[in-house]
Amino acid sequence: MKVETYLFGGVALFFALTGSVYAVFADDPAGTAALLVAFLMASLIAFFLAVQHRRAGGRPEDRRDGEIADRAGPVDFFPDGSPWPPVTALGVTLTAAGVVLGMWLFLIGFGVLAAGVSGFVLQYARRG
């Protein structure tokens, strides 16, 4: 994950420099805010990848002498179908419609959305 860390670090640096120049020369707070958010998102991903690289160590892809056989073994866990994406989508839809139609629909949508997000988070909590 070393290469990915440098890649997203470079993207974050690009958005930081571009956002700084844009903030000085443009009179547009929306564009400045968008570039700031892009910088923060790229920085977050770069930080996550750096922490994962420190925690898990180097992968065969990070070494110049890495071979395909070094990656042999079980790949990972691949989940079955989940009922939570449609529940979450319904919650987002009801919440957005509730903003327009009334607080009662917003609260129902927020409850459905909370159930969907909780289901996503906890669906594999007891996986052995």
Side-chain angles (χ1 to χ4, degrees):
M1 290 185 210
K2 193 177 197 180
V3 174
E4 293 92 340
T5 302
Y6 290 141
L7 177 72
F8 278 100
V11 170
L13 181 66
F14 169 78
F15 280 123
L17 293 174
T18 305
S20 300
V21 171
Y22 190 84
V24 169
F25 290 111
D27 189 27
D28 181 25
T32 305
L35 288 170
L36 176 66
V37 168
F39 162 72
L40 291 174
M41 288 191 303
S43 299
L44 178 69
I45 294 171
F47 176 72
F48 172 77
L49 291 171
V51 168
Q52 291 300 318
H53 178 70
R54 265 190 232 115
R55 190 179 293 169
R59 300 176 304 175
E61 294 91 347
D62 293 333
R63 297 190 327 254
R64 291 202 182 266
D65 62 340
E67 296 289 330
I68 294 174
D70 294 340
R71 202 48 140 148
V75 179
D76 209 345
F77 168 73
F78 295 101
D80 296 332
S82 174
W84 301 114
V87 173
T88 306
L90 178 65
V92 168
T93 303
L94 290 174
T95 304
V99 169
V100 176
L101 298 176
M103 182 61 94
W104 63 274
L105 188 59
F106 178 82
L107 293 174
I108 292 171
F110 188 76
V112 173
L113 180 62
V117 171
S118 298
F120 261 128
V121 171
L122 300 173
Q123 71 182 342
Y124 298 113
R126 293 188 212 134
R127 191 183 101 200

